[in-house]
Amino acid sequence: MKAVIYCRVSTEKETQASSLERQEMELRQLAAEFHFEIIEVIQEMKSGFEIERDGMLQVMDLAKEGYADVLLVQDETRIGRGSAKIAILHTLGKYGVKCYTISEQGEIQLTEADSMVLEIVSLVEDYQRKLHNAKIKRGMRRAVNKGYRPERNLSNLTKGGRERKEVPIEEIVRLRQLELTFKEIATTLNGLGFDISKATVHRRYQEYVDAQN
């Protein structure tokens, strides 16, 4: 398994440099015990309450790209403090990255309270995803019921993705004529694979109206 070593101290005092070195040495030993392959060693001097830490963002990038399987830290407080820790652990969990600590000599063992919060966050995120999908389906259903036929109007639709960012103004106008709101138009077109916001839909439509006058 590929591992990233993450060492952190909360201040930029020179006296903290030795702490970073000690953390790295102990984490290298931990990696050796579990036969992990170290692919990156990251050190930084930042408060654990901050989420936007350059070092931690680098950890997240490695996790997201699938380069890392394990994050090695001295203890759970090195990951972060308070809500920052929960947010980071939740994100790492989504990427399938496990956390090992020196203090526990193995995979991190969360408190019952932390585990409960992570479970709640996951449930809320899942509900938000389902709600978003439901909104897309509702917008599509309303558009189709009003006579919109995407298979005829969007012959060059990009399949299986949301790469297209330019939306033909004709589609916006056609959906607007079917009495859909700008939000419903944006939701419908997003469901068809177009990456466009409500504000952009409104702006494009207004530009069209102005051009007609």
Side-chain angles (χ1 to χ4, degrees):
M1 296 176 72
K2 299 183 184 300
V4 174
I5 287 178
Y6 177 74
C7 311
R8 183 185 66 79
V9 291
S10 58
T11 68
E12 297 184 2
K13 295 180 180 179
E14 293 184 8
T15 54
Q16 295 290 341
S18 60
S19 176
L20 288 173
E21 293 176 359
R22 184 174 65 255
Q23 287 181 44
E24 180 181 340
M25 179 185 68
E26 293 175 349
L27 289 169
R28 285 186 178 278
Q29 293 174 351
L30 184 66
E33 290 175 13
F34 286 92
H35 306 289
F36 293 147
E37 176 188 351
I38 300 172
I39 62 168
E40 193 77 43
V41 176
I42 300 171
Q43 297 184 357
E44 68 179 344
M45 297 180 175
K46 287 284 186 179
S47 168
F49 289 102
E50 294 184 37
I51 290 182
E52 294 186 13
R53 290 174 257 146
D54 290 340
M56 183 51 70
L57 291 176
Q58 186 179 349
V59 170
M60 293 298 184
D61 286 341
L62 291 169
K64 182 178 181 180
E65 297 300 323
Y67 293 121
D69 304 303
V70 181
L71 174 64
L72 304 180
V73 293
Q74 183 182 49
D75 56 62
E76 65 176 49
T77 65
R78 298 305 94 193
I79 296 172
R81 300 273 189 174
S83 57
K85 179 185 72 175
I86 295 298
I88 292 168
L89 285 173
H90 175 66
T91 304
L92 290 174
K94 288 200 302 182
Y95 296 146
V97 175
K98 297 180 179 180
C99 294
Y100 279 60
T101 70
I102 295 173
S103 60
E104 294 172 291
Q105 285 298 299
E107 192 169 352
I108 190 172
Q109 300 298 313
L110 299 176
T111 64
E112 185 176 345
D114 284 345
S115 296
M116 185 178 298
V117 172
L118 282 172
E119 184 176 353
I120 292 173
V121 170
S122 296
L123 287 172
V124 170
E125 192 173 70
D126 185 55
Y127 178 78
Q128 289 176 330
R129 182 168 55 252
K130 289 179 179 178
L131 186 61
H132 177 69
N133 290 337
K135 288 180 178 179
I136 290 176
K137 290 179 181 178
R138 184 183 64 184
M140 281 293 300
R141 190 160 53 245
R142 184 179 176 193
V144 170
N145 288 340
K146 286 179 173 288
Y148 184 65
R149 295 294 179 266
E151 69 276 9
R152 298 176 187 172
N153 302 326
L154 302 176
S155 58
N156 60 343
L157 176 67
T158 301
K159 296 181 179 179
R162 299 165 62 98
E163 297 180 1
R164 181 187 295 277
K165 293 188 178 180
E166 291 298 326
V167 176
I169 185 61
E170 292 83 0
E171 304 308 324
I172 295 177
V173 173
R174 187 176 290 110
L175 288 168
R176 187 62 177 163
Q177 290 172 342
L178 293 174
E179 299 181 353
L180 269 70
T181 65
F182 293 119
K183 183 175 182 180
E184 288 174 332
I185 293 173
T187 302
T188 299
L189 293 176
N190 270 267
L192 291 171
F194 292 95
D195 187 5
I196 190 168
S197 67
K198 170 188 170 183
T200 301
V201 168
H202 182 273
R203 185 174 64 253
R204 299 278 179 84
Y205 181 75
Q206 195 58 53
E207 289 172 353
Y208 169 82
V209 172
D210 293 341
Q212 302 306 306
N213 297 331

